[in-house]
Amino acid sequence: MAAYLQWRRFVFFDRETVREPSGPDGAGGKPFALPPGIAVCDSGRGSLVFGDILCGARRCQIWFLPRSLQLSSFQAYKLRVTHLYQLKQHSILVSIGEDEEGINPLVKVWNLEKRDGGNPLCTRIFPAIPGNKPTVVSCLTVHENLNFMAIGFADGSVVLTKGDITRDRHSKTQILHEGSYPVTGLAFRQSGKTTHLFVVTTENIQSYMLSVKDYPHLELDTHGCGLRCSSLSDPSQDLQFIVAGNECVYLYQPDERGPCFAFEGQKLIVHWYRGYLIIVSKDRKTSPKSEFAGNEAQNSDKQVLNIYDLCNKFIAYSAIFDDIVDVLAEWGSLYVLTRDGKIHALQEKDTQTKLEACKFMLFRKNLFEMAINLAKSHHLDSDGLSEIFRQYGDHLYNKGNHDGAIQQYIRTIGKLEPSYVIRKFLDAQRIHNLTAYLQMLHLQSLANADHTTLLLNCYTKLKDSSKLEEFIKTSESEVHFDVETAIKVLRQAGYYSHAVYLAEKHEHHEWYLKIQLEDIKNYQEALHYIGKLPFEQAESNMKRYGKILMHHVPNETTELLKILCTDYRPLGGNEGPGMLEGKKANSEEFIPIFANNSRELKAFLEHMTEVQADSPQGVYDTLLELRLQNWAHEQDEQTKEKLHNEALTLLKSGRFKTVFDKALVLCQMHNFKDGVLYLYEQGKLFQQIMHYHMQNEQYKKVIEVCELYGNQEACLWEQALSYFARKEENCKEYIAAVLKHIENKNLMPPLLVVQTLAHNSTATLSVIKDYLVNKLQKQSHQIEQDEQRIQKYREETTRIRLEIEELKASPKIFQKTKCSICTSALELPSVHFLCGHSFHQHCFESYSESDSECPTCMPENRKVMDMIRAQEQKRDLHDQFQHQLKCSNDGFSVVADYFGRGVFNKLTLITDLPSGKTATTIEAGLQRELLIHTKRST
């Protein structure tokens, strides 16, 4: 129970008497006065509503006072208005009054938006009598949904109207409650779909559940209150029913009694306004107590109006008035109606003004809790609340209450700079307070990397592993912090398992692997983790940590690399559901990982060449080098032979065509004879093959090379002859074989052969005797053939000259009887040529390409002419002549050939025979014939 005298008093309302509007001269108006005889009042829908009683000639009126203070009224009853209820959400007014003497109250429902002859439309009238017993109406309430209306009577009855209260046809009236004590208050409470009706009498309080059939009820208390001493709070107090007794104020839920407050004094009026409880009571110094009719005090009585803040437990306003009729709330203010017809307005001050007015006093007396509650209830902004929390925290800190201070500083998070708090609690004795603050800073996602570092250091210094685990295992939706910073701090503090957990949870793969490999030394787990990563990350991490893993777990690392370079799929399916085909890395990039693991490297490379024929060239190069190294260092003959075959098979696989030189260098470095010779052969390096055998003095191999490749490169025989000629040992057999081939192919002039062999002291004349004899015999035979051909050409030349002379001196007789083309008998007209061919004219015209040439002799003549033109074109080809002369083994034959073509002579070709130049023509013809018939043997 809260003691009334202990509550702080404030002045949160400004009091002002309502005055009439100012006149035209701008002078202030006199106090506004209500009509006399006001009996009841209410407010809502932008007006204050009053009801009066019959006063002289004036009929009973219902008055409306808008904000403009322009009164309007209409006659509602003939005698008096006893009750009014203005709905807040509808323009509906419910009134109870009397039209005639006696106890015969009438209920009228008015629609203020519709008019009937200038007055509001009365939509319903019915008598307010419980059964057949006339009794006085004591109270009235209406539900805002217009489906319930309750009327209380002085005999203890309560009549409930259910349905549309504005129409008779759609509503039903029944007696809900009967008792022996007057009903003093009614209130509807709507919570969701549940509707309750509170009923209070002078002796008890009950609640009825109207949303259930048969309306079950529950008695809440065995004491009641006077008229107008009950009200319903707003949602800030959970819609509790307030009952003000003379000793205490009680709050009720539909099923139980709530808290109570010790506000002494005879209560006259109770209202609820914007979280405030308004109580009008008699001044205890002058007012005697009465029970039921608390509003029948003498006009001279003083009345106290108190406005309570039940949440924060203080009095927001307190003042004494003379004979208060009622307190109404409208237009955001409170209006106090007094019996003298005046209206006093109570305007609540703005939040900032109220806080400034009370803050100094509260802070001076260290009443920070009350200041905080006051600020919250008045919806002070977060900046203002934060400042109060900070000052409260500073106050507790200075008093040595560090636990309480940190709780207040926590409430400033988001507004107060964290460094302000952190500096106060850096002392080791207060580290647990600092930890609590930093935890909350992270929970509100306002921590930076430095805060995370500090918090984790606090955990480690406190050795609070449970809190540390709770922090790092909290979901991201609850706590936000710099994960990388946390991992670094945990690693530095030696909490490797926590750091690994954090790295794995937040997918910081580099940190996870670094800790596993460098700190924990768990190589198997690190390798397994890489196997679960997406392809790109698995590839990059294997390049980074592959050497360490290969050193400690070579077999497992090799297997993972095989998968990574062929058909990689993460173990956990991290690539996503759309990853149907595996990815593969470039196997050549992982070769450096096997620097000290040749056995695993060989297994890896052989696997790649088997399952992936299109592996990079570097894979084959490295595999070849590895096999050659193993072959070169192997001591066991059988194993060495096997390695020899493997290396040679790899060379013959055709994968080294583009890197011929590199493969050749590898074979030469390891003295791999068969590989070198194979590569020489593939590269058509026949001279290198022969030189290789010459260096090893393998004479038979030299001859074999010449026999195999001599047709492709003739100079091999000459080099072989020079090689054997330089040998001082007996090489007659090999020299004879070489000379035989040189003789058969006519590769060297005899003089050059003799000069070459002259350097060999063991090569006697007998070695080249047969060669020289055969060569001389062939040359003698060639001379004879040339002489015979010369004689033949001379005879033919003489015959041609005689024919020419005969043609010039004697007539030509054409005796051909058949056409040379169709072989039919000649008929006129015919065509005859000096060469002896004759043609029908039509045959000649059909087959001849030129009118001056014989169709039969023309092909042979053209061939001769083409040869002459070719010789003329080649006469000036000095570059070609020089090139052939340098490259030929027999320069003399080249010179003779060009000499025979006329390169060294100026040849004049005369195709037409001008008159008067017979001798010149004859010489030109002879020279042409010589060119045609002369053929030099090579």
Side-chain angles (χ1 to χ4, degrees):
M1 180 179 293
Y4 162 73
L5 294 177
Q6 296 176 353
W7 286 25
R8 300 286 173 181
R9 291 176 180 267
F10 302 101
V11 182
F12 284 171
F13 288 81
D14 293 325
R15 177 177 174 176
E16 183 181 1
T17 301
V18 177
R19 297 180 177 274
E20 294 181 357
S22 301
D25 57 354
K30 62 181 180 180
F32 184 83
L34 290 173
I38 296 299
V40 292
C41 53
D42 201 357
S43 63
R45 307 298 292 179
S47 296
L48 303 182
V49 186
F50 312 106
D52 60 8
I53 60 177
L54 180 62
C55 183
R58 190 184 67 191
R59 295 288 182 178
C60 180
Q61 302 283 316
I62 293 180
W63 300 83
F64 294 94
L65 180 65
R67 198 165 191 175
S68 62
L69 303 182
Q70 300 297 322
L71 273 171
S72 62
S73 66
F74 71 94
Q75 183 179 357
Y77 297 91
K78 296 179 180 180
L79 289 181
R80 64 180 61 86
V81 181
T82 60
H83 296 83
L84 289 175
Y85 193 95
Q86 172 66 57
L87 277 80
K88 304 301 185 289
Q89 299 177 13
H90 304 276
S91 295
I92 300 295
L93 175 66
V94 180
S95 64
I96 299 178
E98 297 176 359
D99 284 338
E100 57 186 20
E101 295 293 342
I103 303 176
N104 189 19
L106 291 177
V107 179
K108 294 184 180 182
V109 181
W110 309 90
N111 189 333
L112 303 181
E113 293 180 345
K114 296 181 179 180
R115 293 291 169 175
D116 182 12
N119 298 328
L121 176 63
C122 183
T123 61
R124 184 180 181 187
I125 303 175
F126 63 95
I129 299 176
N132 297 322
K133 301 179 295 181
T135 182
V136 177
V137 176
S138 58
C139 53
L140 166 69
T141 187
V142 182
H143 199 293
E144 287 292 334
N145 63 11
L146 300 179
N147 287 325
F148 293 101
M149 179 170 61
I151 303 173
F153 297 89
D155 66 351
S157 303
V158 176
V159 174
L160 176 68
T161 300
K162 183 178 181 182
D164 189 351
I165 65 169
T166 63
R167 299 182 181 181
D168 291 323
R169 187 179 304 174
H170 300 290
S171 63
K172 180 181 178 181
T173 301
Q174 67 182 81
I175 298 175
L176 178 67
H177 173 78
E178 290 183 329
S180 54
Y181 303 106
V183 177
T184 57
L186 297 170
F188 287 108
R189 182 184 188 272
Q190 186 70 40
S191 178
K193 296 183 179 180
T194 304
T195 305
H196 288 89
L197 174 64
F198 290 100
V199 178
V200 57
T201 66
T202 56
E203 299 297 332
N204 58 31
I205 303 170
Q206 299 187 29
S207 70
Y208 286 82
M209 184 181 292
L210 304 183
S211 54
V212 179
K213 190 177 180 180
D214 298 334
Y215 307 140
H217 68 280
L218 176 67
E219 186 174 28
L220 300 177
D221 217 332
T222 57
H223 59 80
C225 65
L227 283 173
R228 300 197 298 171
C229 292
S230 63
S231 182
L232 189 70
S233 69
D234 58 20
S236 66
Q237 280 291 334
D238 199 20
L239 297 174
Q240 296 186 90
F241 187 55
I242 302 171
V243 177
N246 291 334
E247 301 295 333
C248 296
V249 174
Y250 300 91
L251 278 67
Y252 296 92
Q253 293 285 356
D255 54 353
E256 63 179 354
R257 190 177 82 176
C260 65
F261 300 89
F263 302 149
E264 296 182 355
Q266 184 180 355
K267 313 302 187 297
L268 303 178
I269 301 172
V270 174
H271 288 297
W272 186 267
Y273 169 74
R274 291 186 177 182
Y276 293 113
L277 175 62
I278 302 170
I279 296 179
V280 178
S281 59
K282 286 186 177 182
D283 191 343
R284 289 177 294 177
K285 298 178 181 179
T286 61
S287 300
K289 295 182 180 180
S290 63
E291 295 183 2
F292 174 61
N295 59 338
E296 295 178 356
Q298 297 179 0
N299 294 341
S300 61
D301 288 345
K302 297 292 185 181
Q303 297 174 356
V304 180
L305 183 144
N306 288 319
I307 302 177
Y308 299 95
D309 187 329
L310 300 183
C311 293
N312 300 313
K313 294 181 174 56
F314 65 84
I315 300 173
Y317 184 78
S318 180
I320 298 176
F321 292 86
D322 293 330
D323 199 3
I324 297 175
V325 176
D326 206 343
V327 180
L328 303 178
E330 193 66 25
W331 311 311
S333 300
L334 289 173
Y335 293 90
V336 182
L337 281 63
T338 56
R339 191 66 61 183
D340 58 4
K342 294 181 180 180
I343 302 177
H344 303 273
L346 298 180
Q347 178 66 44
E348 187 177 7
K349 297 178 181 180
D350 62 86
T351 302
Q352 192 63 34
T353 302
K354 289 188 291 187
L355 291 175
E356 291 297 331
C358 68
K359 188 186 297 183
F360 178 75
M361 181 186 72
L362 294 177
F363 286 3
R364 185 183 61 185
K365 297 182 179 181
N366 298 326
L367 299 175
F368 291 98
E369 288 291 348
M370 180 175 287
I372 292 169
N373 294 333
L374 178 63
K376 285 183 177 179
S377 63
H378 288 80
H379 308 290
L380 183 65
D381 60 11
S382 57
D383 291 334
L385 276 173
S386 177
E387 179 60 21
I388 298 175
F389 293 142
R390 183 194 65 78
Q391 294 187 35
Y392 192 14
D394 291 345
H395 169 71
L396 296 175
Y397 182 85
N398 293 330
K399 288 178 60 178
N401 184 1
H402 298 133
D403 294 339
I406 204 65
Q407 293 304 317
Q408 298 308 315
Y409 287 135
I410 286 174
R411 300 167 81 175
T412 66
I413 290 177
K415 298 298 179 182
L416 182 63
E417 177 61 36
S419 59
Y420 177 86
V421 180
I422 293 173
R423 284 196 300 267
K424 291 178 176 288
F425 292 90
L426 283 177
D427 189 3
Q429 296 179 354
R430 303 168 190 169
I431 194 171
H432 63 282
N433 300 125
L434 180 59
T435 303
Y437 178 81
L438 293 171
Q439 282 177 341
M440 191 57 62
L441 200 64
H442 283 80
L443 283 173
Q444 297 188 22
S445 304
L446 296 174
N448 57 28
D450 293 333
H451 298 149
T452 302
T453 303
L454 187 56
L455 176 59
L456 294 174
N457 283 328
C458 289
Y459 283 140
T460 55
K461 288 185 181 299
L462 292 172
K463 301 188 182 302
D464 193 347
S465 299
S466 60
K467 283 287 186 180
L468 181 59
E469 289 186 9
E470 181 182 353
F471 175 75
I472 66 174
K473 292 183 179 180
T474 306
S475 65
E476 293 184 33
S477 60
E478 297 178 7
V479 177
H480 296 272
F481 57 89
D482 191 296
V483 176
E484 187 170 356
T485 300
I487 294 173
K488 290 179 181 178
V489 174
L490 292 171
R491 185 189 184 197
Q492 186 177 3
Y495 286 80
Y496 300 128
S497 60
H498 297 79
V500 164
Y501 170 83
L502 208 55
E504 183 177 11
K505 177 182 177 182
H506 296 275
E507 297 183 354
H508 285 254
H509 310 307
E510 294 79 5
W511 280 107
Y512 180 91
L513 294 172
K514 187 178 293 186
I515 297 170
Q516 287 282 18
L517 295 173
E518 298 177 8
D519 301 320
I520 303 178
K521 311 292 184 183
N522 192 341
Y523 305 103
Q524 289 281 4
E525 186 61 32
L527 191 65
H528 179 71
Y529 184 82
I530 293 176
K532 296 188 296 182
L533 296 179
F535 171 76
E536 290 78 8
Q537 297 175 6
E539 181 184 22
S540 62
N541 282 292
M542 281 305 295
K543 291 177 181 178
R544 182 176 304 174
Y545 302 109
K547 289 185 178 180
I548 299 176
L549 294 170
M550 183 62 67
H551 178 71
H552 294 90
V553 281
N555 294 331
E556 294 81 354
T557 305
T558 304
E559 292 302 317
L560 180 57
L561 286 174
K562 289 179 182 179
I563 298 173
L564 187 63
C565 296
T566 52
D567 186 20
Y568 179 77
R569 290 182 175 85
L571 297 177
N574 293 333
E575 292 284 355
M579 187 64 189
L580 300 178
E581 295 184 0
K583 296 182 179 180
K584 56 184 179 180
N586 186 350
S587 53
E588 185 177 0
E589 297 177 355
F590 295 97
I591 292 176
I593 293 175
F594 298 87
N596 299 316
N597 299 77
S598 58
R599 182 174 60 85
E600 286 75 16
L601 175 60
K602 181 182 179 183
F604 172 71
L605 296 176
E606 289 178 347
H607 173 79
M608 293 307 302
T609 56
E610 290 174 3
V611 302
Q612 190 174 320
D614 59 343
S615 294
Q617 185 61 43
V619 172
Y620 288 92
D621 295 345
T622 308
L623 181 58
L624 175 62
E625 182 178 3
L626 193 62
R627 287 184 175 179
L628 291 176
Q629 286 179 356
N630 294 339
W631 171 81
H633 294 89
E634 183 58 47
Q635 301 297 327
D636 183 69
E637 292 298 328
Q638 293 183 352
T639 305
K640 193 177 185 70
E641 181 64 23
K642 180 181 178 182
L643 294 174
H644 175 278
N645 295 334
E646 290 178 354
L648 194 59
T649 301
L650 182 60
L651 277 175
K652 293 181 179 180
S653 65
R655 295 293 307 184
F656 299 92
K657 293 180 179 179
T658 57
V659 289
F660 172 83
D661 294 339
K662 186 174 183 179
L664 183 60
V665 169
L666 289 175
C667 292
Q668 289 174 342
M669 286 173 56
H670 296 88
N671 197 24
F672 189 56
K673 172 184 174 182
D674 292 345
V676 171
L677 294 176
Y678 172 78
L679 292 174
Y680 281 158
E681 181 181 358
Q682 293 299 308
K684 299 185 182 301
L685 303 176
F686 307 127
Q687 293 188 35
Q688 281 78 353
I689 296 176
M690 190 171 67
H691 290 163
Y692 181 85
H693 292 307
M694 288 178 179
Q695 290 175 359
N696 293 284
E697 298 184 350
Q698 297 175 339
Y699 303 146
K700 292 184 178 180
K701 292 291 184 180
V702 172
I703 300 299
E704 290 178 3
V705 170
C706 292
E707 291 175 350
L708 287 173
Y709 311 115
N711 294 332
Q712 301 179 46
E713 199 165 342
C715 63
L716 293 177
W717 290 104
E718 300 174 16
Q719 294 177 11
L721 182 62
S722 299
Y723 170 73
F724 288 121
R726 292 192 299 270
K727 292 293 181 182
E728 295 300 327
E729 53 189 275
N730 190 359
C731 298
K732 294 180 180 181
E733 177 184 355
Y734 305 110
I735 293 175
V738 173
L739 288 174
K740 182 178 180 182
H741 192 84
I742 290 176
E743 178 187 354
N744 294 336
K745 298 293 184 178
N746 194 21
L747 298 177
M748 294 177 65
L751 182 58
L752 186 59
V753 172
V754 173
Q755 291 176 349
T756 301
L757 292 176
H759 300 288
N760 193 322
S761 58
T762 61
T764 60
L765 185 61
S766 61
V767 176
I768 60 172
K769 175 183 177 182
D770 295 337
Y771 168 75
L772 292 175
V773 169
N774 293 335
K775 196 66 177 175
L776 290 173
Q777 288 178 352
K778 287 182 179 180
Q779 288 184 354
S780 298
H781 180 68
Q782 183 67 35
I783 292 172
E784 292 177 0
Q785 290 182 347
D786 291 342
E787 290 177 349
Q788 292 176 3
R789 191 174 292 109
I790 291 170
Q791 184 62 32
K792 179 181 176 181
Y793 288 158
R794 285 176 179 174
E795 293 175 355
E796 188 174 350
T797 301
T798 303
R799 182 182 60 78
I800 292 173
R801 285 177 177 174
L802 291 174
E803 288 182 1
I804 292 172
E805 290 294 334
E806 185 179 355
L807 288 173
K808 290 180 178 180
S810 302
K812 178 67 175 179
I813 301 174
F814 299 103
Q815 298 179 342
K816 286 281 188 178
T817 59
K818 293 183 178 182
C819 176
S820 299
I821 294 178
C822 65
T823 67
S824 299
L826 282 173
E827 297 178 355
L828 295 176
S830 59
V831 180
H832 303 276
F833 285 90
L834 292 176
C835 61
H837 296 105
S838 300
F839 307 94
H840 292 112
Q841 185 175 355
H842 64 273
C843 291
F844 175 76
E845 292 176 351
S846 300
Y847 290 94
S848 175
E849 296 180 6
S850 174
D851 294 341
S852 59
E853 290 187 78
C854 173
T856 304
C857 298
M858 187 172 60
E860 188 65 25
N861 292 340
R862 284 189 177 180
K863 187 182 299 182
V864 174
M865 294 300 294
D866 290 341
M867 292 174 63
I868 293 173
R869 291 191 187 96
Q871 288 178 359
E872 287 179 349
Q873 292 175 0
K874 292 180 179 179
R875 281 188 305 173
D876 297 328
L877 300 179
H878 301 294
D879 293 339
Q880 184 176 0
F881 167 73
Q882 293 291 338
H883 177 72
Q884 291 186 8
L885 187 62
K886 290 179 180 180
C887 297
S888 175
N889 296 319
D890 188 0
F892 182 79
S893 62
V894 174
V895 174
D897 180 55
Y898 273 83
F899 184 83
R901 296 181 189 178
V903 173
F904 305 108
N905 298 326
K906 184 175 181 180
L907 178 64
T908 301
L909 178 63
I910 300 176
T911 57
D912 296 329
L913 183 63
S915 60
K917 293 185 179 181
T918 307
T920 305
T921 303
I922 295 172
E923 289 299 328
L926 289 173
Q927 189 172 359
R928 182 176 61 186
E929 291 297 327
L930 286 172
L931 287 173
I932 292 173
H933 295 287
T934 300
K935 183 178 181 183
R936 181 178 178 83
S937 176
T938 57

